[in-house]
Amino acid sequence: MPVPTNLLNFTPEDIFRSVEALKVDKSPLVKLFHKVQELFILNNSDEIVKFLKEELLDKQLRQKDNDAYSQIIRFAAHFVLFLRDMMLSSPDQESDDIIKSYTELLIESQQLSRELSVETYALFLKGVTASYDERYGLYKLAEQHGLNVKVIARKTFDMIFDEPKVEEKYRYASIRNENPPDTPINPLDPPLRETNDPVDSHDIIKIRGLEWLTFNKDQVVEAFDCANALCRKFL
């Protein structure tokens, strides 16, 4: 863009459109990197995830440049995990596809140690909202690669069980920041509801977390124990 430029007449979107029209990016990988920067500056995390999934998986970047694919899928997976850890918006299907692909890459390249594989794969499974059959397929994938699926399944349920709701996270943050509300808060006190109230989406996620313990008959008793603990948590 010419310098000096009267930026007061431009929105951020206008600036990016003007720069993109100049076609300064000759390398597809540099163009990809700049597109991520653009979407990040525009505060559009959903579009970043969709764009990365399209560039990495739909356009099969791995077949064209395996080294670049390995680096970018690593960034994409950690970006998705960051969004989920912060409970920020991210498209479920595209996010699951990215983390699944990254996990498969780590398994194939044997970069998952036996100790880390449990944490990493359980963290991946924790965010999978797919159907029962699709979840079972991911369970079998770990089994095929020699991972300890029973430990992973239990770790996944525990992560889901211990995940606080958004409002609970804000309550904990308030306590940590030493800005106590007018009424003292006990972090262990859940909000009171009637037993015939609709089941909210967060509780459905916890109930479906039990599915991970139903893929192996050796964990039937463990599944009942966890279901009992979940009922007590709701009560």
Side-chain angles (χ1 to χ4, degrees):
M1 299 178 67
V3 178
T5 296
N6 183 5
L7 295 179
L8 295 178
N9 296 327
F10 286 90
T11 66
E13 291 82 1
D14 291 335
I15 294 173
F16 283 118
R17 277 193 292 269
S18 299
V19 173
E20 190 173 351
L22 297 176
K23 301 186 183 301
V24 294
D25 290 329
K26 305 303 180 185
S27 164
L29 294 178
V30 173
K31 185 176 181 180
L32 182 151
F33 178 65
H34 285 166
K35 187 63 177 180
V36 171
Q37 283 186 313
E38 173 191 331
L39 294 171
F40 193 80
I41 291 170
L42 296 177
N43 195 29
N44 200 335
S45 58
D46 276 13
E47 288 303 315
I48 293 178
V49 175
K50 292 177 181 178
F51 172 72
L52 287 170
K53 189 264 183 181
E54 178 184 353
E55 293 294 319
L56 290 165
L57 306 181
D58 296 347
K59 296 184 179 179
Q60 300 180 326
L61 177 61
R62 190 174 189 182
Q63 295 182 9
K64 304 171 186 175
D65 190 335
N66 188 61
D67 290 340
Y69 170 84
S70 299
Q71 293 295 328
I72 299 170
I73 194 73
R74 178 177 182 271
F75 161 75
H78 282 86
F79 182 69
V80 167
L81 292 174
F82 166 76
L83 292 176
R84 286 182 170 175
D85 188 51
M86 297 298 292
M87 302 191 79
L88 299 172
S89 172
S90 66
D92 287 337
Q93 187 57 58
E94 287 86 350
S95 299
D96 290 349
D97 290 343
I98 286 173
I99 302 179
K100 177 177 180 289
S101 298
Y102 179 58
T103 304
E104 289 173 344
L105 178 68
L106 291 179
I107 293 172
E108 290 171 14
S109 58
Q110 298 183 335
Q111 293 184 30
L112 282 174
S113 70
R114 284 292 176 264
E115 181 179 350
L116 287 178
S117 64
V118 171
E119 288 285 341
T120 304
Y121 206 73
L123 188 59
F124 160 48
L125 296 181
K126 168 179 168 283
V128 173
T129 57
S131 68
Y132 186 91
D133 289 341
E134 290 176 284
R135 285 181 164 192
Y136 179 65
L138 295 173
Y139 180 93
K140 294 299 290 184
L141 176 66
E143 190 174 53
Q144 290 165 11
H145 286 284
L147 303 183
N148 190 333
V149 287
K150 289 196 288 186
V151 175
I152 288 173
R154 178 54 190 265
K155 183 68 176 178
T156 303
F157 171 80
D158 289 343
M159 285 181 171
I160 295 171
F161 183 86
D162 293 333
E163 181 73 19
K165 293 187 178 182
V166 176
E167 61 267 25
E168 290 171 345
K169 280 197 170 187
Y170 285 132
R171 294 164 87 211
Y172 302 155
S174 173
I175 294 170
R176 286 196 302 271
N177 293 332
E178 298 180 353
N179 294 320
D182 296 334
T183 305
I185 291 176
N186 179 354
L188 298 179
D189 288 342
L192 295 179
R193 285 179 294 184
E194 298 294 332
T195 55
N196 59 351
D197 283 350
V199 182
D200 69 33
S201 58
H202 187 273
D203 290 340
I204 289 175
I205 290 173
K206 290 189 181 298
I207 295 168
R208 288 201 66 208
L210 291 166
E211 289 179 2
W212 297 112
L213 298 172
T214 66
F215 298 138
N216 189 315
K217 63 182 181 180
D218 293 339
Q219 290 186 288
V220 170
V221 173
E222 193 172 2
F224 274 105
D225 285 343
C226 290
N228 185 39
L230 189 56
C231 288
R232 289 174 178 272
K233 184 182 181 73
F234 289 149
L235 289 173

